[in-house]
Amino acid sequence: MYTYIIIDDETLIRKGTIKKLERTAHEVDCIAEASEGAEGIALIEKLHPDFVILDMQMPGMNGTELLPYLAEHYPDMPLIVISGYRDFNYLKHAFSADAIDYLLKPFSREAIGACVEKAIERLKNSQTITQQIMDSHEQKEAARYEYDIQYLTNLILGFYTGDGAITSEKLNFINNTHQLVLLTLYCDKNFSELNIQEWLEDGGFGDLGLYLSNSTQPQIGFLILFLPPEKPVKAENLIRQITDALLTLARQHESPLLIGISHTHSDLMELHAAFSETSDALNQQKLNGPSLCSYAYNDNTPARQVVWDQEDKFLFYVEAGNQEEIRKLTGQLFEWFCSIPSFTLHDAKYYCYYLSSQCRDILDYYLEQNSTKSSGSVQNVVSRLFRIEELRDYYLQFFLNIAEMLRPKSIYAQDDVIENVRIYMKHNYQKSLTQDFIASLFYLNRSYLSTLFKQKTGMKFIDYLNDIRIEKASELLEHSDRKMYQISKAVGYDNPKYFFRIFKKKMGCSPEQYRKERQGT
């Protein structure tokens, strides 16, 4: 039995990694968890694990400090590095520490399992993963070429952000004599089933195309087409010929395929820019379009601005931790996306990111934390999702996780339903609140809500709401220099004239007079 320690500041990632390794429980056992580097070192010194799984970005002592320390003090201990960010510096540290592998979150059960198998193999054989020095020129070239293949994959995904170089003679020659176009392939099946490289060679494209697999997301593959620079028209024909043939291949395997096509580039070092172009192209797919399609990058069209009429209700259920309603409304949201004519994946991602930021604001308010870091992780993951079903499943889990974190707060769990209504009004006064809407949230009849509210508070619903809004407006008038229409909007009044009238009725003076008196101007 081999033992390991996992060092990661995100509890969900630690627990999820351990769960993904349940299949190998007969061989490996997690003996401890740590949330940052110094704590991890103390556990390593105490428990002497066989190998370590660690995150790069953590509070306190992070991976860039931890890796050199472990490499120096525990040179024979295998290290598996994980990260939620594309960063060449992280990868350099991992290589310097002779890490088993560098995985980008979210990683699959198979990917982490393969890394652990490598760690076990290294432990069994007492060998390092560094390749032996090759005796012959052919062996050295083969080793350089294999390194370059991994290098190019990481370059595409953005793991390398600094200077780099191609080491093999073959790829250096091609790079110096050809232009290139990147095709990002997105398939429902694992690309190993399609044997793309073998297909290229059988079709006579072996010298013009290089296929790169993606261990972090097996359903995504990359095809680099090398084009002679002096024949742009023939190059366009070649791209069309290959994309049409790829779509036919996918059809034969009964597997929908999407292809994003970049602009022409002059150097392999531009592959990440090319990947961004292919991602933008794939994001322009219409949600009710064909399942087999190729998309050439043109312009990064701005996302369409939409208003979902269930947004406030959805956020209420997130705040209340009601996972059942969240599941239902998330399904309705994505059905609504697909019903909008010409609505694209980019449009859906944009709105989901906006909605997730609203949820993070709620989470930060109640848990007094800052979720900016996790926001970056979400964007990193979503940028490589190109099926609406996968986007839906990802965001559903995201929303459910936030609801789960908020549920212990029991925000709307008072026995008195009117007290729950008052809590909601105080937190959401800036929104367009109506008795019909509030009644629907708390499963009440509108008339009954109106009567019960008056009995419990001694005030009409609208008067109570106006009191909250005017109180907030008074604070803004006294402590900010916002313009009147901005304050009106900020406290829930779309009509500034109506705001002035309500304010004067409540406070006995106009908003301008109130500000002058309070600020002494």
Side-chain angles (χ1 to χ4, degrees), residues 265-281:
H265 291 264
S266 60
D267 196 287
L268 286 168
M269 294 302 104
E270 300 172 15
L271 277 175
H272 182 56
F275 174 57
S276 296
E277 292 169 0
T278 63
S279 298
D280 289 339

Side-chain angles (χ1 to χ4, degrees), residues 12 51 283 287 345 421 477 481 506:
L12 290 177
F51 64 96
N283 282 333
L287 299 186
L345 185 66
V421 170
L477 287 165
D481 58 357
K506 294 284 183 182

Side-chain angles (χ1 to χ4, degrees), residues 8 50 99 104 114 120 122 134 159 163 188 205 229 320 326 330 352 371 406 412 416 486 503 515:
D8 193 308
D50 293 308
L104 183 68
I120 293 173
R122 179 182 289 188
M134 304 298 183
F159 297 159
D163 295 332
D188 285 351
F205 301 118
I326 290 170
T330 300
C352 285
S371 59
L406 288 169
Y412 299 112
D416 185 346
Q486 293 173 325
F503 189 94
R515 170 174 277 173

Side-chain angles (χ1 to χ4, degrees), residues 34-273:
S35 59
E36 58 92 31
E39 181 186 2
I41 289 173
L43 289 172
I44 291 169
E45 292 173 349
K46 177 181 178 182
L47 302 175
H48 306 289
D50 293 308
F51 64 96
V52 173
I53 301 173
L54 68 144
D55 189 17
M56 287 301 297
Q57 190 164 22
M58 299 179 287
M61 184 185 216
N62 62 23
T64 59
E65 300 169 283
L66 179 59
L67 275 173
Y69 179 91
L70 295 180
E72 178 182 354
H73 292 84
Y74 303 93
D76 296 326
M77 183 171 63
L79 305 174
I80 298 172
V81 180
I82 60 178
S83 175
Y85 294 84
R86 306 169 179 170
D87 194 310
F88 179 53
N89 290 325
Y90 289 171
L91 198 56
K92 285 198 300 185
H93 283 290
F95 281 160
S96 299
D98 194 25
I100 290 285
D101 211 337
Y102 182 99
L103 293 180
L104 183 68
K105 300 175 186 176
F107 44 82
S108 66
R109 187 188 306 271
E110 290 73 21
I112 188 65
C115 290
V116 169
E117 287 177 8
K118 290 181 185 178
I120 293 173
E121 187 66 22
R122 179 182 289 188
L123 290 165
K124 286 180 179 178
N125 299 324
S126 299
Q127 295 176 341
T128 66
I129 227 170
T130 308
Q131 293 182 329
Q132 302 269 328
I133 298 175
M134 304 298 183
D135 294 329
S136 68
H137 176 77
E138 291 78 11
Q139 288 175 317
K140 291 179 181 179
E141 173 63 11
R144 293 190 188 104
Y145 185 79
E146 288 303 316
Y147 170 83
D148 284 346
I149 294 300
Q150 184 61 44
Y151 174 79
L152 293 178
T153 303
N154 290 327
L155 185 65
I156 289 171
L157 293 172
F159 297 159
Y160 292 145
T161 56
D163 295 332
I166 302 299
T167 61
S168 64
E169 294 176 2
K170 177 180 179 180
L171 284 178
N172 259 316
F173 173 77
I174 295 175
N175 193 37
N176 292 331
T177 56
H178 291 69
Q179 294 183 328
L180 65 94
V181 167
L182 178 67
L183 272 58
T184 294
L185 314 177
Y186 198 83
C187 182
D188 285 351
K189 291 186 177 180
N190 188 320
F191 272 103
S192 62
E193 300 179 31
L194 300 182
N195 297 316
I196 298 295
Q197 192 62 47
E198 180 180 331
W199 173 84
L200 284 169
E201 293 170 1
D202 291 345
F205 301 118
D207 293 334
L208 296 174
L210 174 62
Y211 177 73
L212 303 174
S213 60
N214 178 8
S215 61
T216 61
Q217 283 183 282
Q219 71 272 34
I220 296 182
F222 307 107
L223 179 56
I224 304 174
L225 298 181
F226 296 105
L227 312 171
E230 67 278 3
K231 298 178 181 179
V233 175
K234 288 189 176 181
E236 290 180 10
N237 292 336
L238 174 64
I239 294 169
R240 188 179 302 109
Q241 181 182 354
I242 290 180
T243 54
D244 288 346
L246 280 169
L247 293 173
T248 300
L249 176 67
R251 192 177 292 108
Q252 291 170 352
H253 284 78
E254 298 181 347
S255 181
L257 175 67
L258 301 174
I259 306 174
I261 306 169
S262 76
H263 284 313
T264 301
H265 291 264
S266 60
D267 196 287
L268 286 168
M269 294 302 104
E270 300 172 15
L271 277 175
H272 182 56

